[in-house]
Short mmCIF file of all heavy atoms in Angstrom, two decimals:
data_model
loop_
_atom_site.label_atom_id
_atom_site.label_comp_id
_atom_site.label_asym_id
_atom_site.label_seq_id
_atom_site.Cartn_x
_atom_site.Cartn_y
_atom_site.Cartn_z
N ALA A 124 -15.26 45.61 -10.47
CA ALA A 124 -16.21 45.24 -11.53
C ALA A 124 -17.38 44.52 -10.91
O ALA A 124 -17.23 43.80 -9.93
CB ALA A 124 -15.51 44.34 -12.55
N PRO A 125 -18.56 44.70 -11.49
CA PRO A 125 -19.72 44.02 -10.93
C PRO A 125 -19.61 42.52 -11.12
O PRO A 125 -18.99 42.03 -12.05
CB PRO A 125 -20.90 44.58 -11.74
CG PRO A 125 -20.31 45.24 -12.93
CD PRO A 125 -18.87 45.54 -12.61
N THR A 126 -20.19 41.77 -10.18
CA THR A 126 -20.19 40.31 -10.28
C THR A 126 -21.24 39.89 -11.29
O THR A 126 -22.39 40.34 -11.21
CB THR A 126 -20.53 39.70 -8.91
OG1 THR A 126 -19.59 40.20 -7.96
CG2 THR A 126 -20.46 38.19 -8.94
N PRO A 127 -20.87 39.04 -12.25
CA PRO A 127 -21.86 38.62 -13.24
C PRO A 127 -22.92 37.73 -12.60
O PRO A 127 -22.62 36.91 -11.74
CB PRO A 127 -21.05 37.83 -14.28
CG PRO A 127 -19.75 37.52 -13.64
CD PRO A 127 -19.56 38.48 -12.50
N PRO A 128 -24.18 37.91 -13.02
CA PRO A 128 -25.21 37.02 -12.51
C PRO A 128 -25.00 35.61 -13.06
O PRO A 128 -24.46 35.44 -14.15
CB PRO A 128 -26.53 37.61 -13.04
CG PRO A 128 -26.15 38.57 -14.11
CD PRO A 128 -24.70 38.93 -13.92
N VAL A 129 -25.38 34.60 -12.29
CA VAL A 129 -25.26 33.21 -12.73
C VAL A 129 -26.62 32.54 -12.54
O VAL A 129 -26.83 31.82 -11.56
CB VAL A 129 -24.14 32.47 -11.96
CG1 VAL A 129 -23.96 31.04 -12.50
CG2 VAL A 129 -22.82 33.22 -12.02
N PRO A 130 -27.55 32.80 -13.47
CA PRO A 130 -28.86 32.17 -13.33
C PRO A 130 -28.78 30.67 -13.58
O PRO A 130 -27.88 30.19 -14.27
CB PRO A 130 -29.71 32.85 -14.40
CG PRO A 130 -28.73 33.32 -15.42
CD PRO A 130 -27.46 33.62 -14.65
N VAL A 131 -29.72 29.94 -12.99
CA VAL A 131 -29.82 28.50 -13.19
C VAL A 131 -30.92 28.27 -14.21
O VAL A 131 -32.00 28.88 -14.13
CB VAL A 131 -30.13 27.80 -11.85
CG1 VAL A 131 -30.35 26.30 -12.05
CG2 VAL A 131 -28.98 28.04 -10.87
N VAL A 132 -30.67 27.40 -15.18
CA VAL A 132 -31.66 27.12 -16.23
C VAL A 132 -32.91 26.50 -15.61
O VAL A 132 -32.83 25.54 -14.84
CB VAL A 132 -31.06 26.15 -17.29
CG1 VAL A 132 -32.10 25.81 -18.36
CG2 VAL A 132 -29.82 26.76 -17.92
N ALA A 133 -34.05 27.10 -15.92
CA ALA A 133 -35.34 26.60 -15.43
C ALA A 133 -36.07 25.89 -16.56
O ALA A 133 -35.74 26.05 -17.74
CB ALA A 133 -36.18 27.77 -14.91
N LYS A 134 -37.09 25.12 -16.19
CA LYS A 134 -37.88 24.41 -17.19
C LYS A 134 -38.44 25.40 -18.20
O LYS A 134 -38.94 26.45 -17.84
CB LYS A 134 -39.02 23.66 -16.49
CG LYS A 134 -39.84 22.80 -17.42
CD LYS A 134 -40.89 22.00 -16.66
CE LYS A 134 -41.66 21.15 -17.63
NZ LYS A 134 -42.66 20.32 -16.94
N GLY A 135 -38.31 25.06 -19.48
CA GLY A 135 -38.86 25.91 -20.53
C GLY A 135 -37.89 26.97 -21.03
O GLY A 135 -38.17 27.65 -22.01
N GLU A 136 -36.75 27.13 -20.36
CA GLU A 136 -35.78 28.13 -20.81
C GLU A 136 -34.81 27.50 -21.81
O GLU A 136 -34.53 26.30 -21.77
CB GLU A 136 -34.97 28.68 -19.63
CG GLU A 136 -35.75 29.65 -18.78
CD GLU A 136 -34.90 30.29 -17.71
OE1 GLU A 136 -34.05 29.62 -17.10
OE2 GLU A 136 -35.11 31.48 -17.47
N ASN A 137 -34.29 28.34 -22.68
CA ASN A 137 -33.21 27.93 -23.58
C ASN A 137 -32.22 29.08 -23.65
O ASN A 137 -32.46 30.15 -23.09
CB ASN A 137 -33.76 27.52 -24.96
CG ASN A 137 -34.52 28.65 -25.63
OD1 ASN A 137 -34.15 29.82 -25.54
ND2 ASN A 137 -35.59 28.31 -26.32
N MET A 138 -31.12 28.86 -24.32
CA MET A 138 -30.06 29.87 -24.36
C MET A 138 -30.56 31.17 -24.97
O MET A 138 -30.22 32.26 -24.51
CB MET A 138 -28.85 29.33 -25.13
CG MET A 138 -27.63 30.19 -25.00
SD MET A 138 -27.04 30.38 -23.30
CE MET A 138 -26.01 28.93 -23.16
N SER A 139 -31.41 31.08 -25.97
CA SER A 139 -31.94 32.28 -26.62
C SER A 139 -32.78 33.10 -25.64
O SER A 139 -32.64 34.32 -25.56
CB SER A 139 -32.77 31.88 -27.84
OG SER A 139 -33.30 33.02 -28.46
N LYS A 140 -33.65 32.44 -24.89
CA LYS A 140 -34.50 33.15 -23.92
C LYS A 140 -33.66 33.79 -22.82
O LYS A 140 -33.92 34.92 -22.39
CB LYS A 140 -35.51 32.19 -23.28
CG LYS A 140 -36.67 31.84 -24.16
CD LYS A 140 -37.66 30.96 -23.40
CE LYS A 140 -38.85 30.60 -24.26
NZ LYS A 140 -39.78 29.72 -23.55
N ILE A 141 -32.66 33.05 -22.35
CA ILE A 141 -31.81 33.57 -21.27
C ILE A 141 -31.03 34.78 -21.77
O ILE A 141 -30.96 35.81 -21.10
CB ILE A 141 -30.87 32.47 -20.74
CG1 ILE A 141 -31.71 31.38 -20.04
CG2 ILE A 141 -29.82 33.04 -19.79
CD1 ILE A 141 -30.96 30.10 -19.75
N ALA A 142 -30.45 34.67 -22.97
CA ALA A 142 -29.69 35.79 -23.53
C ALA A 142 -30.58 37.03 -23.68
O ALA A 142 -30.20 38.13 -23.28
CB ALA A 142 -29.09 35.39 -24.88
N LYS A 143 -31.77 36.82 -24.24
CA LYS A 143 -32.69 37.94 -24.46
C LYS A 143 -33.09 38.60 -23.15
O LYS A 143 -33.20 39.83 -23.06
CB LYS A 143 -33.93 37.41 -25.20
CG LYS A 143 -34.83 38.48 -25.75
CD LYS A 143 -35.91 37.86 -26.61
CE LYS A 143 -36.72 38.93 -27.29
NZ LYS A 143 -37.78 38.38 -28.13
N LYS A 144 -33.29 37.79 -22.11
CA LYS A 144 -33.67 38.30 -20.79
C LYS A 144 -32.65 39.31 -20.26
O LYS A 144 -32.98 40.26 -19.57
CB LYS A 144 -33.79 37.10 -19.84
CG LYS A 144 -34.20 37.41 -18.44
CD LYS A 144 -34.35 36.09 -17.69
CE LYS A 144 -34.69 36.27 -16.24
NZ LYS A 144 -34.81 34.98 -15.55
N TYR A 145 -31.36 39.10 -20.62
CA TYR A 145 -30.30 39.98 -20.15
C TYR A 145 -29.83 40.96 -21.21
O TYR A 145 -28.80 41.61 -21.05
CB TYR A 145 -29.13 39.14 -19.63
CG TYR A 145 -29.47 38.43 -18.33
CD1 TYR A 145 -29.97 37.14 -18.34
CD2 TYR A 145 -29.33 39.07 -17.10
CE1 TYR A 145 -30.32 36.49 -17.15
CE2 TYR A 145 -29.67 38.44 -15.92
CZ TYR A 145 -30.16 37.16 -15.95
OH TYR A 145 -30.50 36.52 -14.78
N GLY A 146 -30.55 41.04 -22.34
CA GLY A 146 -30.20 41.98 -23.39
C GLY A 146 -28.94 41.60 -24.15
O GLY A 146 -28.20 42.47 -24.62
N LEU A 147 -28.69 40.30 -24.27
CA LEU A 147 -27.49 39.81 -24.94
C LEU A 147 -27.86 38.96 -26.14
O LEU A 147 -29.01 38.57 -26.31
CB LEU A 147 -26.69 38.93 -23.96
CG LEU A 147 -26.23 39.60 -22.68
CD1 LEU A 147 -25.78 38.56 -21.67
CD2 LEU A 147 -25.10 40.57 -22.97
N THR A 148 -26.85 38.65 -26.94
CA THR A 148 -27.05 37.70 -28.02
C THR A 148 -26.64 36.31 -27.51
O THR A 148 -25.93 36.19 -26.50
CB THR A 148 -26.18 38.04 -29.25
OG1 THR A 148 -24.81 37.89 -28.88
CG2 THR A 148 -26.44 39.45 -29.76
N VAL A 149 -27.08 35.28 -28.23
CA VAL A 149 -26.66 33.92 -27.86
C VAL A 149 -25.13 33.83 -27.96
O VAL A 149 -24.49 33.24 -27.09
CB VAL A 149 -27.35 32.87 -28.76
CG1 VAL A 149 -26.75 31.48 -28.53
CG2 VAL A 149 -28.85 32.85 -28.48
N ALA A 150 -24.53 34.45 -28.98
CA ALA A 150 -23.08 34.40 -29.15
C ALA A 150 -22.35 35.02 -27.95
O ALA A 150 -21.36 34.47 -27.47
CB ALA A 150 -22.67 35.10 -30.44
N GLU A 151 -22.85 36.16 -27.46
CA GLU A 151 -22.22 36.80 -26.30
C GLU A 151 -22.34 35.90 -25.06
O GLU A 151 -21.39 35.77 -24.28
CB GLU A 151 -22.90 38.14 -26.00
CG GLU A 151 -22.58 39.22 -27.00
CD GLU A 151 -23.46 40.46 -26.86
OE1 GLU A 151 -24.64 40.33 -26.46
OE2 GLU A 151 -22.97 41.54 -27.17
N THR A 152 -23.50 35.29 -24.91
CA THR A 152 -23.72 34.41 -23.76
C THR A 152 -22.86 33.16 -23.87
O THR A 152 -22.25 32.73 -22.88
CB THR A 152 -25.21 34.04 -23.66
OG1 THR A 152 -25.99 35.24 -23.69
CG2 THR A 152 -25.51 33.31 -22.36
N MET A 153 -22.76 32.59 -25.06
CA MET A 153 -21.93 31.41 -25.26
C MET A 153 -20.45 31.72 -25.00
O MET A 153 -19.73 30.90 -24.44
CB MET A 153 -22.10 30.87 -26.68
CG MET A 153 -23.43 30.20 -26.93
SD MET A 153 -23.70 28.71 -25.95
CE MET A 153 -22.48 27.61 -26.67
N ALA A 154 -20.01 32.92 -25.38
CA ALA A 154 -18.61 33.29 -25.18
C ALA A 154 -18.25 33.31 -23.70
O ALA A 154 -17.10 33.04 -23.33
CB ALA A 154 -18.33 34.65 -25.81
N ALA A 155 -19.21 33.60 -22.84
CA ALA A 155 -18.98 33.64 -21.39
C ALA A 155 -19.15 32.26 -20.75
O ALA A 155 -18.94 32.11 -19.55
CB ALA A 155 -19.94 34.63 -20.74
N ASN A 156 -19.53 31.27 -21.57
CA ASN A 156 -19.81 29.93 -21.06
C ASN A 156 -19.10 28.87 -21.90
O ASN A 156 -19.75 28.08 -22.60
CB ASN A 156 -21.33 29.69 -21.05
CG ASN A 156 -22.02 30.54 -20.02
OD1 ASN A 156 -22.04 30.21 -18.85
ND2 ASN A 156 -22.55 31.68 -20.45
N PRO A 157 -17.77 28.85 -21.86
CA PRO A 157 -17.03 27.89 -22.70
C PRO A 157 -17.35 26.43 -22.38
O PRO A 157 -17.10 25.55 -23.20
CB PRO A 157 -15.57 28.22 -22.43
CG PRO A 157 -15.57 28.94 -21.12
CD PRO A 157 -16.89 29.66 -21.03
N GLN A 158 -17.92 26.18 -21.20
CA GLN A 158 -18.26 24.81 -20.85
C GLN A 158 -19.45 24.29 -21.65
O GLN A 158 -19.69 23.09 -21.73
CB GLN A 158 -18.54 24.69 -19.33
CG GLN A 158 -19.90 25.19 -18.88
CD GLN A 158 -20.04 26.71 -18.74
OE1 GLN A 158 -19.18 27.46 -19.18
NE2 GLN A 158 -21.13 27.15 -18.13
N ILE A 159 -20.22 25.19 -22.26
CA ILE A 159 -21.38 24.79 -23.05
C ILE A 159 -20.94 24.68 -24.51
O ILE A 159 -20.54 25.67 -25.11
CB ILE A 159 -22.54 25.80 -22.89
CG1 ILE A 159 -22.98 25.84 -21.43
CG2 ILE A 159 -23.71 25.42 -23.81
CD1 ILE A 159 -23.99 26.92 -21.12
N LYS A 160 -21.01 23.49 -25.05
CA LYS A 160 -20.56 23.27 -26.42
C LYS A 160 -21.69 23.51 -27.43
O LYS A 160 -21.45 23.90 -28.55
CB LYS A 160 -20.03 21.83 -26.59
CG LYS A 160 -18.93 21.47 -25.62
CD LYS A 160 -17.67 22.29 -25.83
CE LYS A 160 -16.57 21.90 -24.88
NZ LYS A 160 -15.91 23.01 -24.25
N ASN A 161 -22.92 23.26 -27.01
CA ASN A 161 -24.06 23.38 -27.91
C ASN A 161 -25.17 24.16 -27.20
O ASN A 161 -25.71 23.68 -26.21
CB ASN A 161 -24.55 21.97 -28.30
CG ASN A 161 -25.71 22.00 -29.27
OD1 ASN A 161 -26.42 22.99 -29.41
ND2 ASN A 161 -25.92 20.89 -29.95
N PRO A 162 -25.52 25.36 -27.70
CA PRO A 162 -26.53 26.18 -27.01
C PRO A 162 -27.91 25.52 -27.00
O PRO A 162 -28.77 25.90 -26.22
CB PRO A 162 -26.55 27.49 -27.80
CG PRO A 162 -26.02 27.13 -29.14
CD PRO A 162 -25.02 26.01 -28.91
N ASN A 163 -28.11 24.53 -27.85
CA ASN A 163 -29.40 23.82 -27.87
C ASN A 163 -29.45 22.67 -26.88
O ASN A 163 -30.47 22.00 -26.76
CB ASN A 163 -29.68 23.29 -29.29
CG ASN A 163 -29.76 24.42 -30.29
OD1 ASN A 163 -30.41 25.43 -30.05
ND2 ASN A 163 -29.07 24.28 -31.40
N LYS A 164 -28.34 22.41 -26.21
CA LYS A 164 -28.29 21.29 -25.27
C LYS A 164 -27.91 21.79 -23.88
O LYS A 164 -26.84 21.48 -23.38
CB LYS A 164 -27.27 20.25 -25.74
CG LYS A 164 -27.58 19.69 -27.10
CD LYS A 164 -27.50 18.20 -27.09
CE LYS A 164 -27.67 17.71 -28.51
NZ LYS A 164 -28.54 16.65 -28.71
N ILE A 165 -28.78 22.59 -23.29
CA ILE A 165 -28.58 22.97 -21.89
C ILE A 165 -29.68 22.31 -21.09
O ILE A 165 -30.77 22.04 -21.61
CB ILE A 165 -28.56 24.51 -21.69
CG1 ILE A 165 -29.86 25.16 -22.15
CG2 ILE A 165 -27.35 25.13 -22.39
CD1 ILE A 165 -29.96 26.64 -21.81
N ASP A 166 -29.39 22.00 -19.84
CA ASP A 166 -30.32 21.24 -19.02
C ASP A 166 -30.82 22.09 -17.86
O ASP A 166 -30.14 23.00 -17.39
CB ASP A 166 -29.63 19.99 -18.46
CG ASP A 166 -29.22 19.03 -19.56
OD1 ASP A 166 -30.06 18.75 -20.44
OD2 ASP A 166 -28.06 18.58 -19.55
N ILE A 167 -32.00 21.74 -17.37
CA ILE A 167 -32.54 22.37 -16.17
C ILE A 167 -31.51 22.20 -15.06
O ILE A 167 -30.98 21.10 -14.87
CB ILE A 167 -33.89 21.73 -15.79
CG1 ILE A 167 -34.95 22.03 -16.87
CG2 ILE A 167 -34.37 22.23 -14.42
CD1 ILE A 167 -36.23 21.23 -16.72
N GLY A 168 -31.21 23.28 -14.38
CA GLY A 168 -30.23 23.23 -13.30
C GLY A 168 -28.83 23.67 -13.71
O GLY A 168 -27.99 23.91 -12.86
N ASP A 169 -28.57 23.76 -15.03
CA ASP A 169 -27.27 24.25 -15.49
C ASP A 169 -27.11 25.72 -15.07
O ASP A 169 -28.08 26.48 -15.09
CB ASP A 169 -27.14 24.18 -17.02
CG ASP A 169 -26.90 22.77 -17.54
OD1 ASP A 169 -26.74 21.84 -16.73
OD2 ASP A 169 -26.88 22.61 -18.78
N GLU A 170 -25.90 26.10 -14.70
CA GLU A 170 -25.62 27.50 -14.38
C GLU A 170 -25.05 28.18 -15.62
O GLU A 170 -24.15 27.65 -16.27
CB GLU A 170 -24.63 27.60 -13.22
CG GLU A 170 -25.22 27.12 -11.92
CD GLU A 170 -24.30 27.31 -10.73
OE1 GLU A 170 -23.09 27.57 -10.93
OE2 GLU A 170 -24.79 27.22 -9.61
N ILE A 171 -25.58 29.34 -15.94
CA ILE A 171 -25.15 30.11 -17.11
C ILE A 171 -24.53 31.41 -16.61
O ILE A 171 -25.19 32.18 -15.92
CB ILE A 171 -26.36 30.45 -18.03
CG1 ILE A 171 -27.19 29.20 -18.35
CG2 ILE A 171 -25.91 31.19 -19.27
CD1 ILE A 171 -26.51 28.19 -19.21
N THR A 172 -23.28 31.66 -16.96
CA THR A 172 -22.65 32.92 -16.59
C THR A 172 -23.11 34.00 -17.57
O THR A 172 -23.07 33.81 -18.78
CB THR A 172 -21.11 32.80 -16.64
OG1 THR A 172 -20.72 31.80 -15.72
CG2 THR A 172 -20.44 34.12 -16.30
N ILE A 173 -23.57 35.11 -17.03
CA ILE A 173 -24.03 36.24 -17.84
C ILE A 173 -22.91 37.28 -17.87
O ILE A 173 -22.52 37.79 -16.82
CB ILE A 173 -25.32 36.86 -17.25
CG1 ILE A 173 -26.43 35.83 -17.16
CG2 ILE A 173 -25.75 38.08 -18.05
CD1 ILE A 173 -26.86 35.20 -18.48
N PRO A 174 -22.37 37.57 -19.06
CA PRO A 174 -21.30 38.59 -19.10
C PRO A 174 -21.84 39.96 -18.75
O PRO A 174 -22.97 40.29 -19.12
CB PRO A 174 -20.82 38.54 -20.56
CG PRO A 174 -21.96 37.97 -21.34
CD PRO A 174 -22.72 37.07 -20.38
N VAL A 175 -21.07 40.72 -18.01
CA VAL A 175 -21.49 42.08 -17.66
C VAL A 175 -20.63 43.07 -18.43
O VAL A 175 -19.47 42.79 -18.70
CB VAL A 175 -21.39 42.35 -16.14
CG1 VAL A 175 -22.38 41.51 -15.38
CG2 VAL A 175 -20.00 42.13 -15.63
N PRO A 176 -21.19 44.21 -18.80
CA PRO A 176 -20.39 45.19 -19.54
C PRO A 176 -19.24 45.71 -18.67
O PRO A 176 -19.40 45.88 -17.47
CB PRO A 176 -21.38 46.31 -19.86
CG PRO A 176 -22.59 46.05 -19.04
CD PRO A 176 -22.55 44.63 -18.57
N VAL A 177 -18.12 45.93 -19.30
CA VAL A 177 -16.96 46.46 -18.58
C VAL A 177 -17.12 47.97 -18.51
O VAL A 177 -17.15 48.65 -19.52
CB VAL A 177 -15.65 46.08 -19.31
CG1 VAL A 177 -14.46 46.72 -18.61
CG2 VAL A 177 -15.49 44.58 -19.36
N GLU A 178 -17.24 48.48 -17.28
CA GLU A 178 -17.43 49.92 -17.10
C GLU A 178 -16.12 50.60 -16.72
O GLU A 178 -16.05 51.80 -16.64
CB GLU A 178 -18.49 50.16 -16.03
CG GLU A 178 -19.86 49.66 -16.45
CD GLU A 178 -20.87 49.75 -15.33
OE1 GLU A 178 -20.62 50.48 -14.36
OE2 GLU A 178 -21.91 49.09 -15.44
N ASP A 179 -15.09 49.82 -16.49
CA ASP A 179 -13.82 50.36 -16.04
C ASP A 179 -12.94 50.69 -17.23
O ASP A 179 -11.91 50.09 -17.45
CB ASP A 179 -13.17 49.31 -15.12
CG ASP A 179 -11.92 49.85 -14.44
OD1 ASP A 179 -11.70 51.07 -14.46
OD2 ASP A 179 -11.17 49.04 -13.91
N ASP A 180 -13.36 51.67 -18.03
CA ASP A 180 -12.62 52.05 -19.23
C ASP A 180 -11.51 53.02 -18.84
O ASP A 180 -11.66 54.23 -18.94
CB ASP A 180 -13.58 52.67 -20.25
CG ASP A 180 -12.87 53.07 -21.54
OD1 ASP A 180 -11.69 52.77 -21.72
OD2 ASP A 180 -13.52 53.72 -22.37
N THR A 181 -10.38 52.45 -18.42
CA THR A 181 -9.29 53.30 -17.92
C THR A 181 -8.47 53.92 -19.03
O THR A 181 -7.71 54.84 -18.78
CB THR A 181 -8.36 52.48 -17.00
OG1 THR A 181 -7.87 51.36 -17.75
CG2 THR A 181 -9.07 52.00 -15.76
N THR A 182 -8.60 53.42 -20.25
CA THR A 182 -7.75 53.92 -21.33
C THR A 182 -8.48 54.89 -22.27
O THR A 182 -7.86 55.53 -23.09
CB THR A 182 -7.20 52.75 -22.16
OG1 THR A 182 -8.31 52.00 -22.66
CG2 THR A 182 -6.31 51.85 -21.33
N GLY A 183 -9.81 54.94 -22.19
CA GLY A 183 -10.56 55.86 -23.03
C GLY A 183 -10.83 55.33 -24.43
O GLY A 183 -11.44 56.01 -25.24
N ASP A 184 -10.38 54.09 -24.73
CA ASP A 184 -10.61 53.57 -26.08
C ASP A 184 -11.53 52.34 -26.07
O ASP A 184 -11.53 51.55 -26.99
CB ASP A 184 -9.28 53.23 -26.76
CG ASP A 184 -8.53 52.10 -26.07
OD1 ASP A 184 -9.01 51.60 -25.04
OD2 ASP A 184 -7.47 51.70 -26.59
N GLY A 185 -12.29 52.18 -25.01
CA GLY A 185 -13.21 51.06 -24.94
C GLY A 185 -12.59 49.80 -24.34
O GLY A 185 -13.21 48.76 -24.33
N THR A 186 -11.37 49.92 -23.83
CA THR A 186 -10.72 48.76 -23.23
C THR A 186 -10.23 49.10 -21.84
O THR A 186 -10.12 50.27 -21.47
CB THR A 186 -9.50 48.29 -24.07
OG1 THR A 186 -8.52 49.32 -24.03
CG2 THR A 186 -9.87 47.99 -25.51
N VAL A 187 -9.92 48.08 -21.08
CA VAL A 187 -9.28 48.25 -19.80
C VAL A 187 -7.78 48.15 -20.06
O VAL A 187 -7.35 47.44 -20.96
CB VAL A 187 -9.74 47.15 -18.81
CG1 VAL A 187 -9.00 47.24 -17.49
CG2 VAL A 187 -11.23 47.25 -18.58
N GLU A 188 -6.98 48.89 -19.30
CA GLU A 188 -5.54 48.88 -19.50
C GLU A 188 -5.02 47.46 -19.60
O GLU A 188 -5.36 46.61 -18.79
CB GLU A 188 -4.85 49.61 -18.35
CG GLU A 188 -3.40 49.92 -18.65
CD GLU A 188 -2.80 50.88 -17.64
OE1 GLU A 188 -3.52 51.38 -16.77
OE2 GLU A 188 -1.60 51.11 -17.75
N GLY A 189 -4.22 47.21 -20.64
CA GLY A 189 -3.66 45.88 -20.86
C GLY A 189 -4.42 45.09 -21.90
O GLY A 189 -3.92 44.10 -22.40
N GLU A 190 -5.64 45.51 -22.23
CA GLU A 190 -6.42 44.83 -23.26
C GLU A 190 -6.10 45.43 -24.62
O GLU A 190 -5.75 46.60 -24.72
CB GLU A 190 -7.93 45.01 -23.04
CG GLU A 190 -8.53 44.11 -22.01
CD GLU A 190 -10.05 44.25 -21.98
OE1 GLU A 190 -10.56 45.29 -22.43
OE2 GLU A 190 -10.70 43.33 -21.50
N GLU A 191 -6.28 44.62 -25.65
CA GLU A 191 -6.14 45.14 -27.01
C GLU A 191 -7.39 45.93 -27.37
O GLU A 191 -8.50 45.51 -27.04
CB GLU A 191 -6.01 43.97 -27.99
CG GLU A 191 -4.68 43.23 -27.88
CD GLU A 191 -3.51 44.10 -28.32
OE1 GLU A 191 -3.65 44.88 -29.29
OE2 GLU A 191 -2.46 43.99 -27.69
N PRO A 192 -7.24 47.07 -28.05
CA PRO A 192 -8.44 47.79 -28.49
C PRO A 192 -9.18 46.98 -29.56
O PRO A 192 -8.58 46.14 -30.23
CB PRO A 192 -7.91 49.10 -29.07
CG PRO A 192 -6.45 48.89 -29.25
CD PRO A 192 -6.02 47.75 -28.38
N PRO A 193 -10.48 47.19 -29.68
CA PRO A 193 -11.23 46.45 -30.70
C PRO A 193 -10.73 46.75 -32.11
O PRO A 193 -10.26 47.86 -32.38
CB PRO A 193 -12.67 46.94 -30.52
CG PRO A 193 -12.61 48.12 -29.63
CD PRO A 193 -11.27 48.14 -28.95
N ALA A 194 -10.81 45.77 -32.98
CA ALA A 194 -10.37 45.96 -34.37
C ALA A 194 -11.27 46.98 -35.04
O ALA A 194 -12.47 47.01 -34.78
CB ALA A 194 -10.42 44.64 -35.11
N PRO A 195 -10.72 47.81 -35.91
CA PRO A 195 -11.56 48.84 -36.58
C PRO A 195 -12.55 48.21 -37.55
O PRO A 195 -12.37 47.14 -38.02
CB PRO A 195 -10.56 49.70 -37.33
CG PRO A 195 -9.26 48.97 -37.31
CD PRO A 195 -9.34 47.91 -36.26
#
């Protein structure tokens, strides 16, 4: 699997801008960053993990073997 990028928060950036830069929603970005409790309180120098799409669909149903398929 590809290594997720871990950008460092720069001056003027917020969670919304960072998420948009990577084509994600704030919710998706927050889900990959459990250490961040409030998306409005990130600081310059914080590292943000960017989730990467899972391309290893070994089961054909949108999941990797061992994962639960998404709810209908």
Side-chain angles (χ1 to χ4, degrees):
T126 304
V129 184
V131 175
V132 178
K134 185 176 181 178
E136 285 186 321
N137 59 38
M138 191 61 86
S139 179
K140 283 184 180 178
I141 293 167
K143 192 173 186 180
K144 181 176 177 181
Y145 290 93
L147 301 165
T148 65
V149 171
E151 288 168 329
T152 308
M153 288 296 292
N156 291 279
Q158 77 281 12
I159 298 173
K160 304 295 181 226
N161 182 340
N163 299 314
K164 301 228 186 226
I165 60 173
D166 296 313
I167 294 169
D169 284 356
E170 292 185 345
I171 309 292
T172 299
I173 301 300
V175 293
V177 176
E178 295 173 17
D179 187 14
D180 181 7
T181 57
T182 58
D184 65 358
T186 65
V187 175
E188 193 168 354
E190 280 187 338
E191 290 292 323

